[in-house]
């Protein structure tokens, strides 16, 4: 079907930078949006950033000015550049794709396996 593979997580000190990448592959027919969510321990998963195909970029208020999202809908990739990281950014980050596959005409959501980002103070 459709697979998402993330890379780039890790451990960094507060004020540091990390870049997360996600590559989609498989029987992709169309993509309406790609983005990043995160889930910290004991908290609900939240939308961090999304760049809809032909749409307006969204960034969570707490990451504005620090994070940048860049999606390529030809290469099926999305990158999240995270600068000036804070301990509260610590979470598992998930790549998400909204789209259709050649096996299923109905739009659906696909998730990556998640990558850990830990920011030490």
């Amino acid at each position: 079907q459709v697979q998402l593979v993330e890379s780039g997580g890790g451990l960094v000190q507060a004020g540091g930078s990390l870049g997360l990448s996600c590559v989609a592959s498989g029987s992709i027919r169309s993509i309406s949006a790609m983005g990043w969510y995160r889930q910290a321990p004991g908290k609900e998963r939240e939308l961090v950033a999304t760049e809809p195909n032909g749409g307006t970029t969204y960034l969570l208020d707490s990451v504005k000015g620090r994070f940048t999202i860049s999606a390529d809908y030809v290469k099926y990739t999305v990158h999240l550049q995270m600068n000036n990281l804070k301990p509260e950014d610590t979470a598992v980050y998930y790549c998400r794709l909204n789209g259709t596959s050649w096996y299923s005409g109905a739009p659906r959501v696909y998730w990556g396996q998640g990558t850990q980002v830990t920011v030490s103070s």
Side-chain angles (χ1 to χ4, degrees):
Q1 293 266 352
V2 177
Q3 299 84 36
L4 302 178
V5 177
E6 301 133 333
S7 61
L11 173 64
V12 65
Q13 288 188 334
S17 298
L18 282 174
L20 304 182
S21 293
C22 174
V23 180
S25 63
S27 57
I28 298 169
R29 180 175 183 180
S30 66
I31 302 176
S32 59
M34 295 186 76
W36 291 92
Y37 283 67
R38 68 185 181 187
Q39 188 166 21
K43 296 187 177 181
E44 293 188 354
R45 192 172 296 189
E46 64 178 353
L47 173 61
V48 177
T50 183
E51 184 176 316
N53 193 350
T56 302
T57 297
Y58 165 86
L59 287 167
L60 184 67
D61 282 347
S62 62
V63 308
K64 287 180 179 177
R66 301 188 296 122
F67 290 13
T68 303
I69 185 171
S70 177
D72 186 326
Y73 287 101
V74 174
K75 298 180 179 179
Y76 301 158
T77 62
V78 62
H79 182 79
L80 184 69
Q81 181 62 38
M82 305 182 293
N83 298 326
N84 190 21
L85 282 159
K86 302 177 180 181
E88 51 264 42
D89 295 317
T90 295
V92 177
Y93 284 70
Y94 296 90
C95 177
R96 168 173 157 156
L97 181 154
N98 294 66
T100 61
S101 75
W102 290 103
Y103 292 99
S104 172
R108 59 161 291 184
V109 172
Y110 300 89
W111 292 96
Q113 78 283 359
T115 184
Q116 177 71 45
V117 171
T118 303
V119 185
S120 63
S121 57

